[in-house]
Amino acid sequence: MNGYAVVDVEATGRSPWRHRVVEVAVVQLDAALRTERVFATLLDPAGPVGPTHVHRIAQEDVVGAPRFRQIAPWLLELLADRVLVGHHVTCDRAFLEREFARIGVVLPVLPAVCTMRLARRLMPQAGGFGLSACVEAAGLGWFPAHTALGDARATVELLRHCLRLGSPMDELVPEAGRATAVPWPRLAAARSARAPGSVPLLRRWAPLGPWPAGAEGSRPLVGAAGYE
């Protein structure tokens, strides 16, 4: 088994059909939930960035960011043969499916694990089941909410916490076994991405976890980024 791909997207609105992904992050985990690789970038949605008061991405932050088609081959590589993990994972998956559909790629139905569902079962005392409420109830500390990388890393920590609470690993292993059986599409690099260094990835600043209470992280500092 190849493990898990923990994903989070920030979007220009709530509808995968009408709105676009403006930031995406993927944290790859191995079968034991150890971090293998991290990817994150802002994206140019080819239009308004949407609710800046929520995701704190301003229009000027995406100037020079790649379009989805430019990073699509990397995303396919990151998701291939993995179990998709997210907090309310059906939402993240829907946005990714629509972005891939727009460039003519059918994203297969991936086996998935939803940390929101795990939290509802294992953390009934939580005041709510949004990611911030679950992270607070789990005592995981501060994280840069509504940044794709911050949310993805928080989801990783929440997944590990749920396993510590008693969600057995064998609930996840069958999902991983099914992931390797999914036929996977391949995609050549976009013409604009074939020259070395031609895709400028932009990552918002988000510190590594665990996140101390009161740590700075509200402003979108943008810098060159790619894999970790």
Side-chain angles (χ1 to χ4, degrees):
M1 59 180 289
N2 288 335
Y4 308 89
V6 182
V7 302
D8 187 81
V9 304
E10 299 298 320
T12 63
R14 295 185 176 183
S15 170
W17 294 89
R18 294 188 295 109
H19 300 119
R20 303 296 301 270
V21 173
V22 71
E23 187 179 29
V24 61
V26 180
V27 180
Q28 283 188 335
L29 305 176
D30 67 13
L33 304 188
R34 294 172 299 214
T35 300
E36 292 184 314
R37 190 162 55 165
V38 176
F39 175 86
T41 186
L42 290 163
L43 294 173
D44 179 357
V49 295
T52 297
H53 67 285
V54 176
H55 52 49
R56 302 190 303 280
I57 299 170
Q59 201 69 43
E60 59 267 24
D61 294 332
V62 300
V63 174
R67 299 284 182 90
F68 185 85
R69 174 63 180 88
Q70 292 176 282
I71 66 158
W74 292 338
L75 282 182
L76 285 175
E77 175 192 340
L78 289 163
L79 300 177
D81 301 330
R82 303 265 170 171
V83 175
L84 194 67
V85 181
H87 198 77
H88 193 15
V89 69
T90 55
C91 179
D92 296 299
R93 179 167 55 193
F95 272 101
L96 290 176
E97 285 175 346
R98 285 304 306 153
E99 289 289 357
F100 277 111
R102 289 184 180 103
I103 60 173
V105 175
V106 177
L107 191 67
V109 178
L110 296 167
V113 172
C114 182
T115 54
M116 180 182 287
R117 291 187 178 182
L118 289 177
R120 285 184 183 277
R121 176 160 58 86
L122 297 168
M123 302 167 56
Q125 77 285 358
F129 295 99
L131 182 57
S132 293
C134 290
V135 166
E136 181 178 358
L140 297 176
W142 177 90
F143 73 102
H146 297 296
T147 67
L149 184 55
D151 285 0
R153 282 178 165 146
T155 301
V156 169
E157 297 302 326
L158 184 60
L159 178 64
R160 292 167 176 162
H161 179 75
C162 286
L163 290 175
R164 290 193 294 270
L165 287 178
S167 181
M169 195 67 185
D170 59 11
E171 288 186 11
L172 306 185
V173 170
E175 295 295 329
R178 283 191 284 271
T180 58
V182 174
W184 202 251
R186 302 296 175 184
L187 185 64
R191 289 184 179 179
S192 59
R194 290 174 185 171
S198 60
V199 180
L201 304 181
L202 296 179
R203 178 183 295 182
R204 285 199 287 175
W205 179 82
L208 295 170
W211 310 279
E216 184 182 12
S218 61
R219 69 185 190 277
L221 300 182
V222 180
Y227 289 114
E228 285 182 4

Short mmCIF file of all heavy atoms in Angstrom, two decimals, residues 157-203:
data_model
loop_
_atom_site.label_atom_id
_atom_site.label_comp_id
_atom_site.label_asym_id
_atom_site.label_seq_id
_atom_site.Cartn_x
_atom_site.Cartn_y
_atom_site.Cartn_z
N GLU A 157 -2.81 16.06 11.70
CA GLU A 157 -2.72 15.92 13.16
C GLU A 157 -4.03 15.39 13.74
O GLU A 157 -4.02 14.58 14.68
CB GLU A 157 -2.35 17.26 13.81
CG GLU A 157 -1.00 17.80 13.41
CD GLU A 157 0.13 16.84 13.74
OE1 GLU A 157 0.05 16.13 14.75
OE2 GLU A 157 1.10 16.79 12.96
N LEU A 158 -5.16 15.81 13.18
CA LEU A 158 -6.45 15.32 13.66
C LEU A 158 -6.62 13.85 13.33
O LEU A 158 -7.16 13.08 14.15
CB LEU A 158 -7.57 16.14 13.03
CG LEU A 158 -8.99 15.82 13.49
CD1 LEU A 158 -9.14 16.03 14.99
CD2 LEU A 158 -10.00 16.69 12.73
N LEU A 159 -6.18 13.43 12.16
CA LEU A 159 -6.24 12.01 11.81
C LEU A 159 -5.43 11.18 12.79
O LEU A 159 -5.90 10.15 13.29
CB LEU A 159 -5.71 11.81 10.38
CG LEU A 159 -5.64 10.39 9.86
CD1 LEU A 159 -7.03 9.77 9.74
CD2 LEU A 159 -4.92 10.33 8.51
N ARG A 160 -4.22 11.61 13.09
CA ARG A 160 -3.40 10.89 14.06
C ARG A 160 -4.05 10.87 15.43
O ARG A 160 -4.01 9.86 16.14
CB ARG A 160 -2.02 11.54 14.13
CG ARG A 160 -1.18 11.36 12.87
CD ARG A 160 0.03 12.27 12.86
NE ARG A 160 0.89 12.04 11.69
CZ ARG A 160 1.80 12.90 11.27
NH1 ARG A 160 1.98 14.06 11.92
NH2 ARG A 160 2.53 12.64 10.20
N HIS A 161 -4.67 12.00 15.81
CA HIS A 161 -5.35 12.07 17.10
C HIS A 161 -6.51 11.08 17.16
O HIS A 161 -6.71 10.40 18.18
CB HIS A 161 -5.85 13.50 17.34
CG HIS A 161 -6.58 13.68 18.63
ND1 HIS A 161 -5.94 13.74 19.85
CD2 HIS A 161 -7.92 13.81 18.90
CE1 HIS A 161 -6.82 13.90 20.81
NE2 HIS A 161 -8.03 13.95 20.26
N CYS A 162 -7.28 11.00 16.09
CA CYS A 162 -8.41 10.06 16.06
C CYS A 162 -7.93 8.62 16.22
O CYS A 162 -8.60 7.80 16.87
CB CYS A 162 -9.21 10.23 14.78
SG CYS A 162 -10.22 11.74 14.74
N LEU A 163 -6.79 8.30 15.63
CA LEU A 163 -6.25 6.96 15.80
C LEU A 163 -5.84 6.71 17.25
O LEU A 163 -6.05 5.62 17.79
CB LEU A 163 -5.06 6.74 14.87
CG LEU A 163 -5.42 6.65 13.38
CD1 LEU A 163 -4.17 6.55 12.54
CD2 LEU A 163 -6.33 5.46 13.12
N ARG A 164 -5.29 7.74 17.88
CA ARG A 164 -4.93 7.59 19.30
C ARG A 164 -6.17 7.40 20.17
O ARG A 164 -6.11 6.74 21.21
CB ARG A 164 -4.14 8.81 19.77
CG ARG A 164 -2.73 8.90 19.20
CD ARG A 164 -1.90 9.93 19.95
NE ARG A 164 -2.39 11.29 19.78
CZ ARG A 164 -2.00 12.11 18.81
NH1 ARG A 164 -1.10 11.69 17.90
NH2 ARG A 164 -2.47 13.34 18.74
N LEU A 165 -7.31 7.98 19.74
CA LEU A 165 -8.53 7.86 20.52
C LEU A 165 -9.18 6.49 20.38
O LEU A 165 -10.10 6.18 21.14
CB LEU A 165 -9.53 8.94 20.09
CG LEU A 165 -9.23 10.37 20.53
CD1 LEU A 165 -10.31 11.31 19.98
CD2 LEU A 165 -9.17 10.48 22.05
N GLY A 166 -8.74 5.73 19.40
CA GLY A 166 -9.30 4.40 19.30
C GLY A 166 -9.84 4.00 17.95
O GLY A 166 -10.42 2.93 17.81
N SER A 167 -9.69 4.87 16.95
CA SER A 167 -10.06 4.45 15.60
C SER A 167 -8.98 3.51 15.10
O SER A 167 -7.85 3.93 14.87
CB SER A 167 -10.18 5.66 14.68
OG SER A 167 -10.55 5.26 13.38
N PRO A 168 -9.27 2.21 14.97
CA PRO A 168 -8.21 1.26 14.66
C PRO A 168 -7.63 1.47 13.26
O PRO A 168 -8.33 1.84 12.32
CB PRO A 168 -8.91 -0.10 14.77
CG PRO A 168 -10.35 0.20 14.55
CD PRO A 168 -10.59 1.58 15.09
N MET A 169 -6.34 1.22 13.17
CA MET A 169 -5.66 1.39 11.89
C MET A 169 -6.25 0.48 10.82
O MET A 169 -6.24 0.83 9.64
CB MET A 169 -4.17 1.08 12.07
CG MET A 169 -3.30 1.55 10.93
SD MET A 169 -3.26 3.35 10.86
CE MET A 169 -2.31 3.61 9.36
N ASP A 170 -6.82 -0.65 11.23
CA ASP A 170 -7.34 -1.56 10.21
C ASP A 170 -8.60 -1.01 9.54
O ASP A 170 -9.07 -1.54 8.55
CB ASP A 170 -7.60 -2.96 10.78
CG ASP A 170 -8.60 -2.98 11.94
OD1 ASP A 170 -9.25 -1.94 12.18
OD2 ASP A 170 -8.69 -4.01 12.61
N GLU A 171 -9.17 0.11 10.07
CA GLU A 171 -10.24 0.79 9.33
C GLU A 171 -9.69 1.50 8.10
O GLU A 171 -10.39 1.69 7.12
CB GLU A 171 -10.94 1.82 10.24
CG GLU A 171 -11.81 1.22 11.32
CD GLU A 171 -12.58 2.29 12.06
OE1 GLU A 171 -12.58 3.44 11.60
OE2 GLU A 171 -13.17 1.97 13.09
N LEU A 172 -8.44 1.94 8.19
CA LEU A 172 -7.84 2.70 7.10
C LEU A 172 -7.12 1.81 6.10
O LEU A 172 -7.07 2.11 4.92
CB LEU A 172 -6.85 3.73 7.66
CG LEU A 172 -7.39 4.69 8.73
CD1 LEU A 172 -6.33 5.71 9.08
CD2 LEU A 172 -8.66 5.38 8.27
N VAL A 173 -6.54 0.72 6.57
CA VAL A 173 -5.75 -0.14 5.71
C VAL A 173 -6.57 -0.71 4.54
O VAL A 173 -6.10 -0.71 3.40
CB VAL A 173 -5.08 -1.27 6.51
CG1 VAL A 173 -4.46 -2.31 5.60
CG2 VAL A 173 -4.03 -0.69 7.45
N PRO A 174 -7.82 -1.20 4.75
CA PRO A 174 -8.58 -1.67 3.58
C PRO A 174 -8.78 -0.59 2.53
O PRO A 174 -8.76 -0.86 1.33
CB PRO A 174 -9.92 -2.11 4.20
CG PRO A 174 -9.59 -2.45 5.61
CD PRO A 174 -8.54 -1.44 6.01
N GLU A 175 -8.97 0.67 2.98
CA GLU A 175 -9.11 1.75 2.02
C GLU A 175 -7.83 1.90 1.20
O GLU A 175 -7.86 2.11 -0.02
CB GLU A 175 -9.41 3.06 2.76
CG GLU A 175 -10.75 3.09 3.46
CD GLU A 175 -11.91 3.02 2.49
OE1 GLU A 175 -11.77 3.51 1.36
OE2 GLU A 175 -12.95 2.45 2.85
N ALA A 176 -6.68 1.79 1.86
CA ALA A 176 -5.41 1.90 1.14
C ALA A 176 -5.24 0.77 0.14
O ALA A 176 -4.71 0.97 -0.95
CB ALA A 176 -4.26 1.92 2.13
N GLY A 177 -5.70 -0.41 0.50
CA GLY A 177 -5.61 -1.53 -0.42
C GLY A 177 -6.44 -1.32 -1.66
O GLY A 177 -6.04 -1.67 -2.77
N ARG A 178 -7.60 -0.70 -1.51
CA ARG A 178 -8.45 -0.42 -2.66
C ARG A 178 -7.86 0.67 -3.54
O ARG A 178 -8.08 0.70 -4.75
CB ARG A 178 -9.86 -0.03 -2.19
CG ARG A 178 -10.71 -1.22 -1.73
CD ARG A 178 -12.15 -0.82 -1.54
NE ARG A 178 -12.34 -0.06 -0.32
CZ ARG A 178 -12.60 -0.60 0.87
NH1 ARG A 178 -12.66 -1.91 0.99
NH2 ARG A 178 -12.79 0.15 1.93
N ALA A 179 -7.10 1.58 -2.94
CA ALA A 179 -6.53 2.68 -3.71
C ALA A 179 -5.59 2.19 -4.79
O ALA A 179 -5.55 2.73 -5.89
CB ALA A 179 -5.81 3.66 -2.78
N THR A 180 -4.81 1.17 -4.50
CA THR A 180 -3.83 0.68 -5.47
C THR A 180 -4.49 -0.01 -6.66
O THR A 180 -3.84 -0.23 -7.67
CB THR A 180 -2.84 -0.28 -4.80
OG1 THR A 180 -3.57 -1.38 -4.22
CG2 THR A 180 -2.05 0.42 -3.70
N ALA A 181 -5.77 -0.35 -6.53
CA ALA A 181 -6.47 -1.04 -7.61
C ALA A 181 -7.17 -0.07 -8.56
O ALA A 181 -7.75 -0.50 -9.56
CB ALA A 181 -7.49 -2.02 -7.03
N VAL A 182 -7.14 1.22 -8.27
CA VAL A 182 -7.85 2.20 -9.10
C VAL A 182 -7.02 2.53 -10.34
O VAL A 182 -5.86 2.96 -10.22
CB VAL A 182 -8.11 3.50 -8.29
CG1 VAL A 182 -8.73 4.57 -9.19
CG2 VAL A 182 -9.03 3.20 -7.11
N PRO A 183 -7.57 2.32 -11.57
CA PRO A 183 -6.84 2.74 -12.78
C PRO A 183 -6.61 4.25 -12.73
O PRO A 183 -7.53 5.02 -12.46
CB PRO A 183 -7.80 2.35 -13.91
CG PRO A 183 -8.73 1.34 -13.31
CD PRO A 183 -8.87 1.71 -11.87
N TRP A 184 -5.39 4.67 -13.05
CA TRP A 184 -5.03 6.07 -12.82
C TRP A 184 -4.69 6.78 -14.11
O TRP A 184 -3.90 6.30 -14.92
CB TRP A 184 -3.86 6.14 -11.86
CG TRP A 184 -3.79 7.48 -11.19
CD1 TRP A 184 -2.86 8.46 -11.40
CD2 TRP A 184 -4.71 8.00 -10.25
NE1 TRP A 184 -3.17 9.57 -10.64
CE2 TRP A 184 -4.31 9.31 -9.93
CE3 TRP A 184 -5.88 7.49 -9.66
CZ2 TRP A 184 -4.99 10.12 -9.03
CZ3 TRP A 184 -6.57 8.29 -8.76
CH2 TRP A 184 -6.12 9.59 -8.46
N PRO A 185 -5.28 7.96 -14.33
CA PRO A 185 -4.95 8.72 -15.55
C PRO A 185 -3.57 9.34 -15.48
O PRO A 185 -3.04 9.60 -14.39
CB PRO A 185 -6.03 9.82 -15.58
CG PRO A 185 -6.40 10.00 -14.13
CD PRO A 185 -6.26 8.65 -13.50
N ARG A 186 -2.97 9.57 -16.61
CA ARG A 186 -1.70 10.28 -16.70
C ARG A 186 -1.90 11.53 -17.55
O ARG A 186 -2.76 11.56 -18.43
CB ARG A 186 -0.62 9.39 -17.31
CG ARG A 186 -0.39 8.09 -16.52
CD ARG A 186 0.15 8.37 -15.13
NE ARG A 186 0.25 7.14 -14.34
CZ ARG A 186 0.62 7.09 -13.06
NH1 ARG A 186 0.92 8.22 -12.43
NH2 ARG A 186 0.68 5.95 -12.42
N LEU A 187 -1.09 12.52 -17.32
CA LEU A 187 -1.25 13.78 -18.01
C LEU A 187 0.12 14.37 -18.30
O LEU A 187 0.95 14.51 -17.40
CB LEU A 187 -2.07 14.76 -17.15
CG LEU A 187 -2.44 16.11 -17.76
CD1 LEU A 187 -3.37 15.92 -18.96
CD2 LEU A 187 -3.12 16.99 -16.72
N ALA A 188 0.35 14.70 -19.55
CA ALA A 188 1.61 15.35 -19.92
C ALA A 188 1.63 16.77 -19.39
O ALA A 188 0.60 17.38 -19.14
CB ALA A 188 1.77 15.35 -21.43
N ALA A 189 2.83 17.29 -19.24
CA ALA A 189 2.97 18.67 -18.78
C ALA A 189 2.34 19.62 -19.78
O ALA A 189 2.34 19.38 -20.99
CB ALA A 189 4.45 19.01 -18.59
N ALA A 190 1.76 20.70 -19.26
CA ALA A 190 1.24 21.74 -20.15
C ALA A 190 2.37 22.34 -20.96
O ALA A 190 3.53 22.33 -20.53
CB ALA A 190 0.55 22.82 -19.31
N ARG A 191 2.07 22.85 -22.11
CA ARG A 191 3.11 23.44 -22.96
C ARG A 191 3.88 24.53 -22.22
O ARG A 191 5.09 24.67 -22.37
CB ARG A 191 2.49 24.02 -24.23
CG ARG A 191 1.99 22.96 -25.20
CD ARG A 191 1.47 23.60 -26.47
NE ARG A 191 0.99 22.59 -27.42
CZ ARG A 191 0.49 22.87 -28.60
NH1 ARG A 191 0.38 24.13 -28.99
NH2 ARG A 191 0.08 21.90 -29.39
N SER A 192 3.16 25.29 -21.40
CA SER A 192 3.80 26.38 -20.65
C SER A 192 4.64 25.88 -19.49
O SER A 192 5.31 26.66 -18.82
CB SER A 192 2.73 27.34 -20.12
OG SER A 192 1.82 26.65 -19.27
N ALA A 193 4.59 24.55 -19.23
CA ALA A 193 5.29 24.01 -18.07
C ALA A 193 6.41 23.05 -18.46
O ALA A 193 6.95 22.35 -17.60
CB ALA A 193 4.29 23.28 -17.16
N ARG A 194 6.78 23.01 -19.73
CA ARG A 194 7.75 22.01 -20.17
C ARG A 194 9.18 22.47 -20.02
O ARG A 194 10.10 21.64 -19.93
CB ARG A 194 7.47 21.61 -21.62
CG ARG A 194 6.18 20.80 -21.73
CD ARG A 194 5.77 20.49 -23.15
NE ARG A 194 4.48 19.81 -23.17
CZ ARG A 194 3.79 19.57 -24.27
NH1 ARG A 194 4.27 19.96 -25.45
NH2 ARG A 194 2.62 18.96 -24.21
N ALA A 195 9.42 23.75 -19.97
CA ALA A 195 10.78 24.24 -19.76
C ALA A 195 11.11 24.21 -18.28
O ALA A 195 10.25 24.50 -17.44
CB ALA A 195 10.91 25.67 -20.29
N PRO A 196 12.32 23.82 -17.89
CA PRO A 196 12.69 23.77 -16.48
C PRO A 196 12.47 25.12 -15.81
O PRO A 196 12.85 26.17 -16.34
CB PRO A 196 14.18 23.40 -16.53
CG PRO A 196 14.37 22.71 -17.84
CD PRO A 196 13.41 23.38 -18.78
N GLY A 197 11.85 25.07 -14.63
CA GLY A 197 11.62 26.28 -13.87
C GLY A 197 10.54 27.19 -14.42
O GLY A 197 10.43 28.34 -14.01
N SER A 198 9.71 26.67 -15.34
CA SER A 198 8.73 27.53 -15.99
C SER A 198 7.43 27.66 -15.22
O SER A 198 6.58 28.46 -15.59
CB SER A 198 8.43 27.01 -17.40
OG SER A 198 7.90 25.70 -17.33
N VAL A 199 7.23 26.85 -14.17
CA VAL A 199 6.00 26.94 -13.39
C VAL A 199 6.33 27.60 -12.05
O VAL A 199 6.95 26.99 -11.18
CB VAL A 199 5.39 25.54 -13.15
CG1 VAL A 199 4.11 25.67 -12.33
CG2 VAL A 199 5.09 24.85 -14.48
N PRO A 200 5.92 28.84 -11.85
CA PRO A 200 6.23 29.54 -10.62
C PRO A 200 5.22 29.20 -9.52
O PRO A 200 4.11 29.72 -9.51
CB PRO A 200 6.12 31.02 -11.03
CG PRO A 200 5.07 31.02 -12.09
CD PRO A 200 5.17 29.68 -12.80
N LEU A 201 5.59 28.35 -8.62
CA LEU A 201 4.69 28.00 -7.52
C LEU A 201 4.79 29.04 -6.43
O LEU A 201 5.88 29.51 -6.09
CB LEU A 201 5.06 26.62 -6.97
CG LEU A 201 5.06 25.47 -7.99
CD1 LEU A 201 5.40 24.16 -7.30
CD2 LEU A 201 3.73 25.37 -8.70
N LEU A 202 3.65 29.40 -5.87
CA LEU A 202 3.60 30.41 -4.82
C LEU A 202 2.95 29.83 -3.58
O LEU A 202 1.80 29.39 -3.63
CB LEU A 202 2.81 31.64 -5.27
CG LEU A 202 3.40 32.44 -6.44
CD1 LEU A 202 2.47 33.60 -6.77
CD2 LEU A 202 4.78 32.96 -6.08
N ARG A 203 3.67 29.83 -2.48
CA ARG A 203 3.12 29.29 -1.23
C ARG A 203 2.93 30.40 -0.21
O ARG A 203 3.83 31.19 0.02
CB ARG A 203 4.06 28.23 -0.63
CG ARG A 203 3.54 27.68 0.71
CD ARG A 203 4.50 26.69 1.33
NE ARG A 203 4.62 25.50 0.50
CZ ARG A 203 5.37 24.46 0.86
NH1 ARG A 203 6.07 24.49 1.98
NH2 ARG A 203 5.43 23.41 0.07
#
